[in-house]
């Protein structure tokens, strides 16, 4: 019996070259190619954050406490009560905790000594803006309170704290700002008195906190304290009495001054400065 005959029907068939073999060969080189499973697509949106984390990041409470407050209806998103666990919000959404608007980041307060030539705006395409000057101050989404004209100089406060912003924009209990204003001609004493006493423009009362000549300067240099957050009111005041403003410099915001802040530089408020500001 030959060797081949002896092996017939015994052992396992190789399968190489055997087209009639029912068993497929998995000899080296012949194994089928297996496609790698595609990773599952992530459905998370990097611009979204869980509501409880949003609240916890704001410093209001822990995430567990946030869940409890969400469940009892103390949280609103864009004006609507949300009680759903795991609800996600965008950073641009308006989130309120027990009626108070919150942000998912630590509160930041930056005081800038604005130079000439920078617009007070957060909009793009406006040339050089004050946001360029404070770009390295923080990663938080801070905005200027009020405004100074492009050619005006002086103090400008930035924050992401809505409570402080509301304090400034409250017309009755706002934060006073002191300006040094240079006029195109000397301010008459009778006009200074009228401004101090208050007057009406288009039927609306215009009132200032204080106004005076600056000591040891010419009579076209005046100091004026107002609670209004914009500087257009200054032009309204002096144009009403036929004066043109040459220069505006905000030298103080409440108790905050330009001391140790060179023009074009900024600083973070100290805890003491912040506490004093909130007490005004």
């Amino acid at each position: 019996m030959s060797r081949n005959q002896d092996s017939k029907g015994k052992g396992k068939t190789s399968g190489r070259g055997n087209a009639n073999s029912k068993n497929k060969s998995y000899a080296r080189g012949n194994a089928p190619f297996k496609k790698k499973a595609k990773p599952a697509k992530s459905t998370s949106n990097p611009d979204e954050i869980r509501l409880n984390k949003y609240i916890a990041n704001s410093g209001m409470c822990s995430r567990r406490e946030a869940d409890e407050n969400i469940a009892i209806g103390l949280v609103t998103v864009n004006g609507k009560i949300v009680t759903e666990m795991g609800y996600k919000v965008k950073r641009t959404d308006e989130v309120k905790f027990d009626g108070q608007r919150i942000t998912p980041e630590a509160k930041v307060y930056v005081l800038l000594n604005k130079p000439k030539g920078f617009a007070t705006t957060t909009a793009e395409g406006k040339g050089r803006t004050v946001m360029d000057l404070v770009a390295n101050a923080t990663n938080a989404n801070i905005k200027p309170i009020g405004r100074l004209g492009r050619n005006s100089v002086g103090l400008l406060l930035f924050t992401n704290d809505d409570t402080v912003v509301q304090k400034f924009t409250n017309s009755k209990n706002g934060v006073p700002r002191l300006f040094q204003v240079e006029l195109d001609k000397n301010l008459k004493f009778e006009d200074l008195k009228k401004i101090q006493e208050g007057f009406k423009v288009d039927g609306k009362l215009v009132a200032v906190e204080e106004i005076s000549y600056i000591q040891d300067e010419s009579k076209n240099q005046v100091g004026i304290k107002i609670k209004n957050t914009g500087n257009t009111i200054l032009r309204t005041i002096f144009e009403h009495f036929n004066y043109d403003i040459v220069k505006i410099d905000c030298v103080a915001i409440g108790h905050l001054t330009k001391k140790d802040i060179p023009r074009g530089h900024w600083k973070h408020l100290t805890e003491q400065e912040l506490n004093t500001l909130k007490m005004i």
Side-chain angles (χ1 to χ4, degrees), residues 2 21 40 55 70 80 89 112 231 233 251 265 267 270 277:
S2 70
S21 174
I55 296 170
I70 292 170
K80 296 181 179 180
V89 294
L112 169 72
N231 66 187
I233 187 64
V251 296
H265 290 68
K267 75 166 190 174
T270 65
L277 184 65

Side-chain angles (χ1 to χ4, degrees), residues 78-93:
N78 298 325
K80 296 181 179 180
I81 295 175
V82 173
T83 57
E84 176 188 339
M85 293 297 106
Y87 188 88
K88 291 187 177 182
V89 294
K90 296 179 180 178
R91 295 183 183 274
T92 54
D93 287 336

Side-chain angles (χ1 to χ4, degrees), residues 27-42:
R28 187 176 180 182
N30 293 334
F33 175 77
K34 293 184 179 180
K35 293 183 178 180
K36 292 184 178 180
K38 292 183 179 180
K41 291 184 178 180
S42 174

Side-chain angles (χ1 to χ4, degrees), residues 69-130:
N69 287 294
I70 292 170
I72 62 177
L74 284 182
V75 180
T76 63
V77 178
N78 298 325
K80 296 181 179 180
I81 295 175
V82 173
T83 57
E84 176 188 339
M85 293 297 106
Y87 188 88
K88 291 187 177 182
V89 294
K90 296 179 180 178
R91 295 183 183 274
T92 54
D93 287 336
E94 181 188 69
V95 179
K96 288 187 177 181
F97 181 91
D98 198 16
Q100 178 184 342
R101 184 170 182 177
I102 59 175
T103 57
E105 55 193 7
K107 301 296 187 292
V108 178
Y109 311 87
V110 175
L111 187 63
L112 169 72
N113 187 355
K114 177 188 173 301
K116 193 174 181 180
F118 289 82
T120 305
T121 179
T122 57
E124 297 181 355
K126 299 293 183 180
R128 298 190 301 176
T129 74
V130 292

Side-chain angles (χ1 to χ4, degrees), residues 15-247:
R16 291 188 179 182
N18 187 353
N20 296 324
S21 174
K22 293 183 180 180
N23 298 323
K24 294 182 179 179
S25 170
Y26 292 105
R28 187 176 180 182
N30 293 334
F33 175 77
K34 293 184 179 180
K35 293 183 178 180
K36 292 184 178 180
K38 292 183 179 180
K41 291 184 178 180
S42 174
T43 57
S44 62
N45 186 337
D47 295 328
E48 294 180 337
I49 180 174
R50 284 182 177 271
L51 183 55
N52 61 353
K53 184 177 180 182
Y54 187 106
I55 296 170
N57 288 354
S58 74
M60 299 299 294
C61 59
S62 67
R63 291 179 70 167
R64 178 177 294 181
E65 292 170 331
D67 282 334
E68 295 172 356
N69 287 294
I70 292 170
I72 62 177
L74 284 182
V75 180
T76 63
V77 178
N78 298 325
K80 296 181 179 180
I81 295 175
V82 173
T83 57
E84 176 188 339
M85 293 297 106
Y87 188 88
K88 291 187 177 182
V89 294
K90 296 179 180 178
R91 295 183 183 274
T92 54
D93 287 336
E94 181 188 69
V95 179
K96 288 187 177 181
F97 181 91
D98 198 16
Q100 178 184 342
R101 184 170 182 177
I102 59 175
T103 57
E105 55 193 7
K107 301 296 187 292
V108 178
Y109 311 87
V110 175
L111 187 63
L112 169 72
N113 187 355
K114 177 188 173 301
K116 193 174 181 180
F118 289 82
T120 305
T121 179
T122 57
E124 297 181 355
K126 299 293 183 180
R128 298 190 301 176
T129 74
V130 292
M131 301 309 296
D132 298 324
L133 297 171
V134 297
N136 296 325
T138 176
N139 291 326
N141 185 29
I142 58 174
K143 295 180 181 180
I145 301 178
R147 65 183 301 275
L148 288 173
R150 186 179 290 274
N151 293 323
S152 299
V153 300
L155 294 178
L156 195 59
L157 182 63
F158 297 73
T159 187
N160 57 348
D161 188 339
D162 286 340
T163 301
V164 170
V165 173
Q166 291 170 7
K167 187 177 186 67
F168 270 81
T169 54
N170 186 308
S171 59
K172 292 183 179 180
N173 303 310
V175 177
R177 298 195 300 166
L178 177 62
F179 294 87
Q180 181 173 334
V181 178
E182 180 182 338
L183 303 174
D184 62 330
K185 55 189 175 184
N186 291 344
L187 178 64
K188 297 177 182 179
F189 181 73
E190 55 265 35
D191 290 337
L192 183 146
K193 292 294 292 182
K194 290 177 182 177
I195 295 172
Q196 179 65 71
E197 292 168 357
F199 59 95
K200 289 187 176 182
V201 176
D202 297 330
K204 295 183 179 179
L205 179 65
V206 177
V208 303
E209 298 295 301
E210 297 175 20
I211 183 171
S212 64
Y213 296 115
I214 296 177
Q215 189 175 2
D216 300 327
E217 296 287 349
S218 60
K219 300 299 183 182
N220 72 326
Q221 302 276 345
V222 296
I224 182 169
K225 184 182 290 186
I226 61 173
K227 287 185 177 179
N228 192 290
T229 54
N231 66 187
T232 53
I233 187 64
L234 296 177
R235 299 195 183 278
T236 299
I237 291 170
F238 291 106
E239 287 177 2
H240 182 75
F241 295 95
N242 298 314
Y243 297 92
D244 289 330
I245 293 179
V246 176
K247 180 181 177 182

